């Protein structure tokens, strides 16, 4: 189901001038503010103003709403029965030289981290699910935890003492089909493994 509201924290945020110059809307978090599970992605996709809502990405102003990544990750938690809160480490689309999205820069991740901390305090989740290496590394860096290889961290809960929450790294939905096989899972097995870890944490 497509979200119908967003949790606006700092309207017209201009902490990152380069991102503010190319965004259409800030993609704030979406979902219940009492969720047990918070899902953190990297950054919103570009989206398109004439596309339907699920393809709108940055244009919707809501986190994880692209047709592919958004639908895919939301379906996982719907299948597992969790009404999760979805957000991003960086709230604005980071535009590359060719108009597609690039990886967020370190200063952009740092500028936006206060927003993520605010969301964590508001929602008070039992577990933060980080999707992909960049969202995972952001939390690990804040906690002074060495990540080493990202794949070795997937589906391995980590206590984040400073944030007061447990982190559960998952594959980014855009690359799940590639990396999941390297972890030895088919899709039903991967979903079951996520469910097993969450049931022990929530």
């Amino acid at each position: 189901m497509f979200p119908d509201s967003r949790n606006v924290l700092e309207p017209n945020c201009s902490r990152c001038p380069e991102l503010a110059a190319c965004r259409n809307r800030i993609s704030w978090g979406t979902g219940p503010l009492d969720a047990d599970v918070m899902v953190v992605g990297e950054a919103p996709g570009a989206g398109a103003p004439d596309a339907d809502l699920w393809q709108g990405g940055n244009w919707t102003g809501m986190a994880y709403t692209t047709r592919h990544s958004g639908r895919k990750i939301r379906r996982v938690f719907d299948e597992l029965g969790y009404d999760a809160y979805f957000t991003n480490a960086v709230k604005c689309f980071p535009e590359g030289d060719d108009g597609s999205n690039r990886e967020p820069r370190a200063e952009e991740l740092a500028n936006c981290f206060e927003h993520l901390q605010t969301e964590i305090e508001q929602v008070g989740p039992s577990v933060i699910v980080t999707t992909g290496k960049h969202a995972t590394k952001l939390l690990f860096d804040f906690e002074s935890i060495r990540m080493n290889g990202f794949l070795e961290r997937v589906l391995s809960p980590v206590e984040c003492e400073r944030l007061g929450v447990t982190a559960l790294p998952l594959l980014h939905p855009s690359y799940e089909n590639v990396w999941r096989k390297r972890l030895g899972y088919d899709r039903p097995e991967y979903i079951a493994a996520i469910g097993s870890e969450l049931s022990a944490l929530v």
Side-chain angles (χ1 to χ4, degrees):
M1 179 184 297
F2 183 81
D4 58 7
S5 63
R6 58 190 186 132
N7 180 27
V8 179
L9 301 176
E10 184 179 331
N12 302 313
C13 177
S14 57
R15 298 182 187 196
C16 305
E18 186 179 351
L19 296 188
C22 68
R23 75 169 176 237
N24 295 290
R25 294 180 75 182
I26 304 173
S27 291
W28 296 113
T30 55
L33 294 180
D34 60 351
D36 290 323
V37 177
M38 176 183 284
V39 180
V40 181
E42 179 180 300
D50 299 322
D52 66 34
L53 287 178
W54 272 110
Q55 298 178 44
N58 183 39
W59 291 81
T60 67
M62 302 175 191
Y64 256 139
T65 56
T66 55
R67 180 176 183 180
H68 299 292
S69 292
R71 277 183 174 170
K72 198 167 189 178
I73 196 67
R74 288 174 181 275
R75 188 179 300 125
V76 167
F77 290 93
D78 184 56
E79 287 179 24
L80 292 172
Y82 291 99
D83 191 7
Y85 179 95
F86 293 85
T87 190
N88 283 308
V90 170
K91 314 300 185 190
C92 298
F93 164 62
E95 184 174 18
D97 294 335
D98 61 355
S100 63
N101 50 316
R102 55 168 172 79
E103 293 183 358
R105 299 192 176 101
E107 62 269 23
E108 294 163 350
L109 287 162
N111 287 342
C112 227
F113 191 67
E114 184 180 329
H115 293 320
L116 181 58
Q117 287 179 289
T118 298
E119 289 176 296
I120 293 170
E121 291 171 2
Q122 285 181 334
V123 178
S126 298
V127 59
I128 294 179
V129 173
T130 54
T131 57
K133 67 178 181 180
H134 297 289
T136 302
K137 187 175 185 300
L138 179 68
L139 260 64
F140 279 26
D141 285 350
F142 181 73
E143 295 286 337
S144 299
I145 298 170
R146 293 189 64 180
M147 185 162 75
N148 298 321
F150 169 65
L151 283 184
E152 287 75 17
R153 292 290 191 171
V154 172
L155 288 170
S156 298
V158 176
E159 292 301 322
C160 297
E161 294 182 3
R162 295 180 66 188
L163 292 171
V165 71
T166 302
L168 179 66
L170 297 185
L171 299 170
H172 191 283
S174 294
Y175 303 101
E176 180 195 316
N177 288 343
V178 175
W179 296 109
R180 174 170 41 75
K181 295 175 184 177
R182 296 200 184 186
L183 293 175
Y185 295 105
D186 60 20
R187 187 179 186 278
E189 291 169 340
Y190 181 62
I191 301 303
I194 295 172
S196 177
E197 293 295 342
L198 287 176
S199 65
L201 297 171
V202 174

